[in-house]
Amino acid sequence: SLTPEFYSACDPAVSFNGNYIRFAGKAKPGNRWQIWRMDRDGNNKLQITKSVKDCMSPLYVGSLFHLDDQAPTRKILYVSNNHLFTCNLDGTRSRQITFNLYPEFSPDVLPNGRIIFSSVTDSFADKNPGKIINLLAVNIDGTDLMGYLTASDTPFNKSMVRVGEDRNVYFIQSNNPSAWGGGILSRVSTRRPSHSIRN
């Protein structure tokens, strides 16, 4: 075990160079989940987020470059309070980038650097009113939010999304509105997601 001193740990994410691991950790039973960093051998653990909310699902994402920056700033992404946040590698400049009324979860990085994630929204279908889980995509600065695979493409809930090395997006498709419900393993191509659904 790399985290024997933690009450619980999950969601490991390995850095692009393989030297570090970000993970969600709960140091003691009463603590909130926070994002931590450690060396790949488990040494030098450092708490990255210090939020009053739970922080989960860390991801290494691309870099941001602003006009007044001397160099691009590397970012990580995480989920807190059911929304997506980014921050610098050291936890500074934390910023919420999605603002849906309902939960957002299960993010991953697309080959073009955008973030794909599951998002609960209202379903306006006559036969299936209520909530539905769609796949959305957004830039790491929060701009250009748009549907990636929505109810107009397939009327099922889409959760637990993961991007494969084969340039396909894999997810669970089901009638269950729960984020953790079981279902059918499905995939779409990143080239034409709405026209390539395969179970």
Side-chain angles (χ1 to χ4, degrees):
S1 172
L2 296 177
T3 56
E5 70 274 35
F6 278 72
Y7 174 72
S8 190
C10 64
D11 298 341
V14 180
S15 64
F16 295 122
N17 62 12
N19 290 332
Y20 302 102
I21 299 172
R22 292 286 197 290
F23 65 97
K26 184 181 285 195
K28 298 178 181 178
N31 292 163
R32 292 285 189 181
W33 288 95
Q34 298 295 330
I35 306 303
W36 293 73
R37 187 200 76 192
M38 64 181 172
D39 297 344
R40 62 185 176 189
D41 59 3
N43 291 323
N44 299 318
K45 292 181 179 69
L46 176 67
Q47 184 176 340
I48 300 301
T49 59
K50 296 175 175 63
S51 174
V52 297
K53 302 287 187 180
D54 288 325
C55 299
M56 308 286 292
S57 305
L59 280 177
Y60 284 90
V61 294
S63 301
L64 281 181
F65 185 83
H66 299 99
L67 293 178
D68 57 348
D69 290 341
Q70 293 185 356
T73 303
R74 295 294 304 274
K75 295 286 184 177
I76 60 170
L77 178 136
Y78 60 93
V79 178
S80 181
N81 199 28
N82 293 321
H83 297 293
L84 304 187
F85 286 73
T86 60
C87 67
N88 295 344
L89 294 182
D90 61 1
T92 59
R93 298 189 72 173
S94 178
R95 179 172 178 262
Q96 184 175 339
I97 65 168
T98 58
F99 299 87
N100 188 11
L101 294 174
Y102 305 114
E104 299 161 326
F105 55 95
S106 188
D108 206 355
V109 183
L110 290 164
N112 62 6
R114 285 168 57 78
I115 306 301
I116 187 171
F117 60 98
S118 294
S119 179
V120 179
T121 188
D122 288 309
S123 171
F124 299 102
D126 295 335
K127 295 181 180 179
N128 189 24
K131 300 286 186 291
I132 189 168
I133 304 173
N134 290 317
L135 296 183
L136 305 183
V138 68
N139 293 330
I140 63 173
D141 62 355
T143 60
D144 201 22
L145 175 69
M146 63 175 51
Y148 191 87
L149 198 66
T150 65
S152 62
D153 302 311
T154 173
F156 300 101
N157 294 291
K158 298 156 283 290
S159 60
M160 306 305 292
V161 61
R162 288 295 174 263
V163 179
E165 293 182 3
D166 57 0
R167 303 184 74 84
N168 285 317
V169 173
Y170 295 84
F171 58 95
I172 300 297
Q173 189 171 209
S174 74
N175 289 317
N176 190 335
S178 167
W180 304 106
I184 299 170
L185 180 62
S186 304
R187 75 177 185 194
V188 294
S189 167
T190 56
R191 295 175 184 269
R192 300 186 71 200
S194 61
H195 299 283
S196 60
I197 300 172
R198 297 288 184 272
N199 295 329

